[in-house]
Amino acid sequence: MRHIFLGLAIWGAIHPMYYFLTWFRAEGWSLGDMVQAWHVNAASSGLVWDLTIAATALSLWIIAEVIRNRRFFHLIAIAATFCIGVSCGLPLYLYLRSTPEGETRSREGQE
């Protein structure tokens, strides 16, 4: 399962980013204009709010587990969620979470 989660995280980073970059190249590099485009109609606004709520729930789950397990590197999944999307952040966190505890601890100690 770990490899599947990693593959989904990579796919979830590349596929949406292709569309974001295509939009930015065509429309200009304004984040405000992109957010405005996301709310062009009720259907797209619904998707934006759906993903915002999912990203918030995922972030709270990650924070709660980081506090409990002291795996601070896992916070990178929050950055991936809000910089790329839930399609990258969720499978990335599941991949990181599925790493055996001893392996994660030894890698965190080296950083």
Side-chain angles (χ1 to χ4, degrees), residues 2-106:
R2 290 188 68 233
H3 294 19
I4 292 171
F5 292 143
L6 181 58
L8 287 170
I10 292 168
W11 182 23
I14 294 171
H15 201 136
M17 195 55 63
Y18 167 79
Y19 291 101
F20 293 152
L21 292 175
T22 300
W23 189 90
F24 279 128
R25 282 191 203 116
E27 304 296 329
W29 293 88
S30 170
L31 187 58
D33 288 348
M34 181 179 240
V35 171
Q36 188 176 20
W38 290 342
H39 292 283
V40 72
N41 60 45
S44 62
S45 289
L47 285 172
V48 168
W49 281 110
D50 180 63
L51 292 171
T52 300
I53 294 165
T56 302
L58 174 60
S59 297
L60 291 172
W61 179 38
I62 292 169
I63 290 167
E65 290 215 338
V66 163
I67 290 170
R68 184 173 8 137
N69 299 324
R70 303 282 188 231
R71 291 182 172 184
F72 296 101
F73 183 70
H74 291 187
L75 292 171
I76 192 81
I78 294 175
T81 298
F82 285 97
C83 292
I84 301 169
V86 176
S87 63
C88 177
L90 176 59
L92 176 62
Y93 182 64
L94 293 173
Y95 169 76
L96 294 171
R97 190 174 187 264
S98 66
T99 303
E101 187 172 341
E103 186 178 326
T104 301
R105 296 250 188 244
S106 66

